[in-house]
Amino acid sequence: MPATRRLIRVTGTVQGVGFRPFVYRHATALELTGSVRNDSAGVFIDVEGEPARISELARLLVEDPPPLASVGSVTFEDAEPLGRPGTFRIVASDDAGSTRTVPVSVDTATCADCLAEVDDPADRRYRYPFTNCTNCGPRYTIVLRVPYDRPSTTMADFVMCDACRREYDDPQDRRFHAQPNACAECGPRLTWRAPDGAARADGDEALRIAVELLRSGGVVAVKGIGGYHLAVDATDVAAVRELRRRKARDDKPFAVMVRDLADARQRCDLDERAVAALVDPRRPIVLAPRRAGAAVAEGVAPGLPDLGLFFPYSPLHHLLLAGVDRPLVMTSANSSDEPIAHDDDDAVARLGPIVDGLLTHDRRIHIRCDDSVARAAGGHLQLLRRSRGYAPEPLPLPFPTAAPVLAVGGELKSTVSVVRGDEVVTSHHIGDLEHLATWQSFRQAVEHLPALYGVTPEIVAHDLHPEYLSTKFAFDLDLPSVAVQHHHAHVASCMVEHGRREPVVALAFDGLGYGPDGTLWGGEVLVADYAGYERAAHLRPVQMPGGAAAIREPWRMALVWARAAGRSDPDQLGLAPAGLDATAVHAVADLVDRGGGRPTTSVGRLFDAVAVLLGCRKHVTYEAQAAIELEALARAVDRDDARSFAEDVPFADGVLDPAPLVDRIVEERARGIPAAVLAAAFHESIGLATARVAHDLARARDIDAVVLTGGVFQNVRLSEIVVRELDRSGLTVLTHERVPPNDGGLSIGQAAIAAFGAGR
Ligand code: ZN
Ligand code: ZN
Ligand code: FE
């Protein structure tokens, strides 16, 4: 049979993931000739041989690519056969800076092959904590610049030994061009440091000291892939209490790292989706219901029904867990929503005072990257924080774009995005910008991300809120800017992940977002596409007395909603927080009566209010803490048994008024109906009432899809009620999966809206 020749182009995340050796191995086995190389668009294959064998190679590219590759497209072109004799070759990249536009891949958990080596006393990588290969290891967190090769990473500090170099140069080897390739001979080393930073031991001895300390209740800082964790034995009540005391801040839950599935199952009830997420090489923290009697200290997640579990994702984690032989609290080493500590000097300065020692190493972390957080909701997995393992993987935009855009996101849970070609690339989770250290991290991300992707932004997109630091930053850039309304951005972010182009009806419910009328929105029913939106309906506005104080002290919102429901005597509501007398409550009541406080339509604040009225906490240490307790309270009642007072949420003239519902809840509570029953009824009522509004609007406008977005839809119970109702009526419901429903998704929506506008 005459030979044919085909030119094959593969796009997507195909560099730094072992793609060329993969092609080489198969082409050689199929006795094809030609070459494979990386270029600016991805991977280019020039192959010659029997047509059936070329087809087989093509099939493998499409159906069975290397584990870390994410193939965007494979295109073919016939060419004149050259009749070249010889073999198949890997050709060095045609550099000239053109590989700049190729995506950087994500940090990936240690693969089974590498783990087997780490566990094998006969292997030269036995117990080596930085073992990796082309199928696993750090990527985004160590990249300084592109093209992605060793000198452009923090591994440039280490010169490969002969054995490592041979692996690196051998196309048949699993470590061919694995940029972070290393061994104990030539690679990064562990160091044990005292709290004052003094080096006390290294290598296996450092690990042994850390294990000993953890086993005896100590607090240890552990340098990982994207930053430092603070670790303690998760089953040791005193150690966990001590960690909370030393961190001295709030009740935010700690994540727990477990060794394996058996261990995870002892702590939490896991369904299929949760198991799949735990074992996924992206290794998110997975929230799942805590099992009754599970051996985990109560202080790990105070007052919460869920635990956040995750699996080890570096050889160091595996060795540490094997040594301690207990689950470990592994919480980001930071305070509040400051960025995770990642720089060694900074770690000693910030963490030294609160730890008994630091288990650190000499591979620099260039981009700090917190752990991602996911939970199972409504039949799929939903990311609540999209960071390590997911960033900076691009998402396709469902329309062609004309201009490179930088989107700077919101204020809390900050991320930034760039539009490059027809994709949007989003940074790691940066945090809450009000902290100086977070602000510096934001500045770094805004520089680094466009540079990494070879994008020179021509447009900057930002939130409408004039006081967000990100907005002010956008105004200071010398670029045309596009202000995007907060909830419009939430809606667009959800449309992007579903590839949706046509208009949608959207329920955008969250804490707060700036409305064009200067009030604080947060209970919005929008008709929207990328070109614009219409505020078709919203929650009844009420005052928010004391601004941010109303977020920290949800009893203020309870007072406001009770008054909206006609219950004007604050003393009857039992709102006076512990340690405060009734005077404070009366002062706020007076403020409300005088019309003080900005108007808000926030559904998040409504949930806060009802939580307090049903006896949940009156003060919170993190946003939505009371609302989360309310959802937890409702879990005692099966959804099928929940009562509904949806008729008490009247809808007229585009305004949905929950005041009669609040009134009824207070009344039934006073009659002695259990709080759990009323919490369930509240979820049911708000879910049914809002689903009905969305449904009627969709039918009236002839729109077939409804988006659920905003931080309130992190509430699984509410989401499931709304999804069930809309599903029943035949509408398509678009919920968040890969993009967080909270403000972590804003930059994606902003980027899409600005890019769409620029293309018209
Ligand atoms: Zn590996
Ligand atoms: Zn080596
Ligand atoms: Fe929001």
Side-chain angles (χ1 to χ4, degrees):
M1 193 184 292
T4 54
R5 179 177 169 218
R6 302 198 90 178
L7 309 178
I8 307 176
R9 167 157 300 296
V10 188
T11 66
T13 304
V14 290
Q15 293 189 8
V17 293
F19 211 91
R20 287 178 303 165
F22 164 85
V23 172
Y24 173 89
R25 277 195 301 276
H26 287 297
T28 306
L30 290 163
E31 296 174 9
L32 299 168
T33 64
S35 63
V36 57
R37 65 183 158 91
N38 286 340
D39 68 7
S40 60
V43 164
F44 181 76
I45 306 163
D46 178 346
V47 66
E48 196 164 332
E50 261 186 49
R53 293 177 176 221
I54 293 180
S55 300
E56 173 59 10
L57 180 68
R59 188 192 67 77
L60 289 163
L61 295 177
V62 175
E63 293 177 12
D64 198 17
L68 297 191
S70 168
V71 174
S73 66
V74 183
T75 53
F76 304 91
E77 194 185 319
D78 284 322
E80 195 59 37
L82 302 172
R84 287 171 296 197
T87 55
F88 195 86
R89 292 179 311 131
I90 293 177
V91 179
S93 307
D94 65 346
D95 276 334
S98 61
T99 47
R100 175 164 289 271
T101 56
V102 168
V104 173
S105 59
V106 302
D107 303 291
T108 304
T110 313
C111 72
D113 290 336
C114 285
L115 265 189
E117 291 168 346
V118 172
D119 286 340
D120 177 5
D123 194 277
R124 70 186 194 91
R125 287 192 175 81
Y126 179 55
R127 291 184 67 78
Y128 181 58
F130 305 96
T131 303
N132 66 81
C133 72
T134 42
N135 298 326
C136 74
R139 298 287 187 277
Y140 177 59
T141 50
I142 61 168
V143 178
L144 305 169
R145 66 191 89 85
V146 284
Y148 174 71
D149 55 19
R150 187 148 171 138
S152 306
T153 71
T154 60
M155 285 302 291
D157 304 349
F158 304 92
V159 179
M160 273 184 274
C161 68
D162 290 347
C164 285
R165 169 57 71 179
R166 270 196 300 278
E167 295 166 338
Y168 183 89
D169 287 336
D170 178 2
Q172 299 283 23
D173 195 279
R174 197 171 94 246
R175 296 197 165 89
F176 178 69
H177 282 204
Q179 306 304 348
N181 187 29
C183 74
E185 199 64 36
C186 65
R189 278 178 81 77
L190 289 177
T191 302
W192 175 256
R193 289 184 190 282
D196 65 3
R200 289 287 159 76
D202 54 19
D204 230 22
E205 176 62 9
L207 184 64
R208 196 192 58 74
I209 297 172
V211 165
E212 278 312 303
L213 247 173
L214 287 167
R215 285 185 65 86
S216 55
V219 178
V220 174
V222 180
K223 184 178 180 183
I225 299 293
Y228 280 79
H229 284 115
L230 292 175
V232 296
D233 176 352
T235 64
D236 184 332
V237 174
V240 171
R241 192 189 306 123
E242 182 60 14
L243 174 61
R244 258 195 206 282
R245 193 188 67 76
R246 293 195 200 173
K247 271 190 113 176
R249 43 170 198 130
D250 55 29
D251 299 335
K252 272 192 188 157
F254 295 145
V256 175
M257 190 177 272
V258 290
R259 259 183 107 175
D260 52 29
L261 221 43
D263 196 340
R265 287 208 162 99
Q266 281 176 28
R267 324 281 157 189
C268 286
D269 291 323
L270 302 171
D271 62 14
E272 259 169 65
R273 296 158 306 184
V275 169
L278 276 173
V279 303
D280 190 294
R282 297 169 187 269
R283 290 293 198 271
I285 294 168
V286 180
L287 302 180
R290 176 187 182 146
R291 286 185 62 165
V296 174
E298 168 58 27
V300 165
L304 297 176
D306 290 339
L307 282 181
L309 298 182
F310 60 153
F311 274 13
Y313 52 86
S314 80
L316 177 58
H317 295 151
H318 285 279
L319 294 167
L320 201 58
L321 266 92
V324 178
D325 199 26
R326 278 170 219 157
L328 289 178
V329 163
M330 292 283 267
T331 185
S332 291
N334 57 9
S335 43
S336 196
D337 270 306
E338 288 189 3
I340 185 168
H342 75 301
D343 174 82
D344 300 320
D345 294 337
D346 174 54
V348 168
R350 278 164 65 190
L351 308 178
I354 59 170
V355 299
D356 300 310
L358 298 91
L359 182 60
T360 178
H361 60 74
D362 53 356
R363 185 176 67 203
R364 284 178 294 135
I365 297 170
H366 185 63
I367 294 292
R368 66 184 96 213
C369 213
D370 284 270
D371 297 312
S372 294
V373 180
R375 82 189 299 174
H380 55 79
L381 208 74
Q382 183 175 67
L383 280 182
L384 303 182
R385 187 201 286 156
R386 184 182 184 276
S387 203
R388 180 192 44 74
Y390 296 88
E393 192 171 70
L395 290 170
L397 287 171
F399 49 82
T401 66
V405 173
L406 168 69
V408 295
E411 177 91 342
L412 305 176
K413 302 181 172 68
S414 164
T415 60
V416 298
S417 293
V418 292
V419 171
R420 181 194 81 126
D422 296 342
E423 296 176 328
V424 56
V425 181
T426 303
S427 72
H428 53 289
H429 165 86
I430 297 168
D432 294 353
L433 296 187
E434 61 192 7
H435 306 287
L436 180 64
T438 320
W439 175 242
Q440 285 160 346
S441 185
F442 169 88
R443 298 292 300 263
Q444 187 201 19
V446 166
E447 292 290 317
H448 189 62
L449 193 67
L452 212 49
Y453 280 82
V455 174
T456 307
E458 292 170 14
I459 294 170
V460 58
H462 59 85
D463 195 271
L464 200 55
H465 201 310
E467 296 303 320
Y468 279 3
L469 289 172
S470 55
T471 303
K472 293 176 177 171
F473 174 85
F475 285 145
D476 284 345
L477 294 179
D478 210 8
L479 288 176
S481 62
V482 178
V484 180
Q485 200 279 324
H486 190 98
H487 302 92
H488 187 206
H490 274 309
V491 177
S493 75
C494 191
M495 292 173 67
V496 166
E497 72 166 311
H498 291 283
R500 173 85 185 184
R501 291 198 58 165
E502 301 75 28
V504 295
V505 166
L507 299 178
F509 296 170
D510 65 359
L512 297 171
Y514 195 84
D517 58 0
T519 70
L520 298 168
W521 291 13
E524 312 310 309
V525 186
L526 307 181
V527 176
D529 58 17
Y530 301 106
Y533 70 94
E534 174 200 337
R535 191 191 200 196
H538 57 80
L539 199 76
R540 169 179 166 176
V542 293
Q543 292 143 274
M544 201 170 104
I551 299 174
R552 287 192 307 271
E553 300 173 19
W555 62 266
R556 291 171 180 250
M557 293 311 296
L559 180 77
V560 167
W561 273 110
R563 285 171 103 72
R567 294 180 176 268
S568 52
D569 184 354
D571 294 333
Q572 282 186 358
L573 298 165
L575 293 177
L580 278 182
D581 59 33
T583 334
V585 179
H586 283 277
V588 172
D590 289 345
L591 177 69
V592 172
D593 290 342
R594 290 197 309 273
R598 279 162 87 179
T600 184
T601 53
S602 169
V603 173
R605 298 288 90 79
L606 172 66
F607 271 71
D608 280 356
V610 171
V612 172
L613 292 170
L614 288 178
C616 298
R617 62 181 56 243
K618 301 182 177 84
H619 275 87
V620 298
T621 62
Y622 56 91
E623 207 206 350
Q625 190 179 7
I628 291 167
E629 277 188 15
L630 183 68
E631 184 188 1
L633 192 60
R635 280 196 197 177
V637 178
D638 198 82
R639 286 232 320 277
D640 294 333
D641 301 333
R643 296 167 65 189
S644 165
F645 312 139
E647 69 280 6
D648 289 327
V649 191
F651 180 67
D653 302 325
V655 177
L656 200 61
D657 183 7
L661 174 64
V662 171
D663 182 53
R664 179 148 181 194
I665 284 173
V666 172
E667 187 182 306
E668 301 230 356
R669 182 74 190 116
R671 280 182 28 224
I673 305 294
V677 169
L678 295 171
F682 174 72
H683 279 82
E684 204 68 22
S685 310
I686 293 292
L688 296 184
T690 55
R692 190 177 56 217
V693 171
H695 170 268
D696 292 351
L697 186 59
R699 290 289 179 246
R701 302 296 178 90
D702 201 19
I703 290 172
D704 64 346
V706 178
V707 159
L708 309 185
T709 189
V712 167
F713 283 105
Q714 293 176 139
N715 184 317
V716 175
R717 192 177 185 105
L718 180 71
S719 294
E720 289 181 350
I721 294 166
V722 177
V723 169
R724 180 192 63 200
E725 282 306 299
L726 293 173
D727 263 352
R728 268 188 199 155
S729 56
L731 289 162
T732 299
V733 190
L734 305 177
T735 56
H736 284 277
E737 294 173 31
R738 287 172 299 161
V739 173
N742 57 47
D743 287 4
L746 283 180
S747 69
I748 294 171
Q750 292 170 353
I753 288 165
F756 187 86
R760 290 191 312 156

